[in-house]
Amino acid sequence: MILNNTVNDCKLIDLPIIRNRAGNITPINNLIDIPFAIQRVYYLYDVPGGAERGGHAHKTLKQLIIAASGSFEISISDGNSKKVFCLNQPYQGLIIVPGIWRELKNFSSGSICLVFASEIYDESDYIRDFNEFKILRNDASIS
Ligand code: TYD
């Protein structure tokens, strides 16, 4: 379990763009345009105005999060420091490493949150309680 990552290990990356007058393409090649092997892709859509998502951390999961359409905000915390990112370009993505609490909010109408994940879905990889998260983080920083 990598719980000593900090918010500074989470990076905004620029993805490739193939520009064309008739529209652009952003390709994501496994292990080339993304720094981990992709095991799962999912996307969040039809988010009602004012809704908030996330509110958890992962023990081992790495993710690349992209606003494929529209915009939303991601707040991340390592239990010590916080950072807020606004994703609003389909060619930019935020890498979130394990051990980071995340909250997503301020979804624009019709926005699509596209996620590339390093593992298939596993509920036991989630930490859904912020107090438990802080305890695990503090233990990790002592050991
Ligand atoms: P969750 O990851 O908590 O959503 P968010 O972070 O967007 O708020 O997932 C919500 C529910 O969907 C939860 O019951 C687990 C389920 N789920 C899957 O079954 N497979 C998946 O790949 C994902 C991402 C979620």
Side-chain angles (χ1 to χ4, degrees):
M1 206 188 299
I2 307 169
L3 280 177
N4 51 4
N5 285 324
T6 75
V7 291
N8 295 323
D9 297 309
C10 298
K11 307 262 188 228
L12 210 50
I13 61 169
D14 282 330
L15 297 159
I17 311 173
I18 301 161
R19 294 185 189 277
N20 188 296
R21 266 175 299 168
N24 301 329
I25 297 177
T26 287
I28 299 175
N29 292 279
N30 205 20
L31 296 169
I32 297 172
D33 302 306
I34 180 169
F36 56 80
I38 301 160
Q39 297 254 35
R40 174 170 51 124
V41 178
Y42 64 91
Y43 42 102
L44 190 55
Y45 54 96
D46 286 350
V47 180
E52 299 191 6
R53 305 286 314 214
H56 57 77
H58 285 279
K59 297 172 190 168
T60 60
L61 191 74
K62 298 172 193 147
Q63 291 167 300
L64 171 66
I65 302 184
I66 298 168
S69 185
S71 63
F72 49 87
E73 246 175 58
I74 308 183
S75 309
I76 56 171
S77 165
D78 53 28
N80 204 9
S81 303
K82 271 187 159 188
K83 272 190 178 179
V84 181
F85 294 88
C86 180
L87 293 187
N88 56 13
Q89 300 293 348
Y91 54 81
Q92 268 186 344
L94 180 66
I95 299 281
I96 303 193
V97 293
I100 300 294
W101 190 267
R102 88 289 311 279
E103 287 166 5
L104 287 78
K105 62 178 184 180
N106 291 340
F107 288 87
S108 67
S109 169
S111 58
I112 298 176
C113 171
L114 175 61
V115 183
F116 294 84
S118 64
E119 310 292 336
I120 60 168
Y121 172 73
D122 175 9
E123 183 60 34
S124 70
D125 192 64
Y126 282 77
I127 304 161
R128 293 195 181 271
D129 182 287
F130 191 66
N131 286 328
E132 184 194 340
F133 170 72
K134 284 206 294 194
I135 290 165
L136 284 167
R137 290 291 322 207
N138 286 339
D139 288 351
S141 63
I142 295 163
S143 60

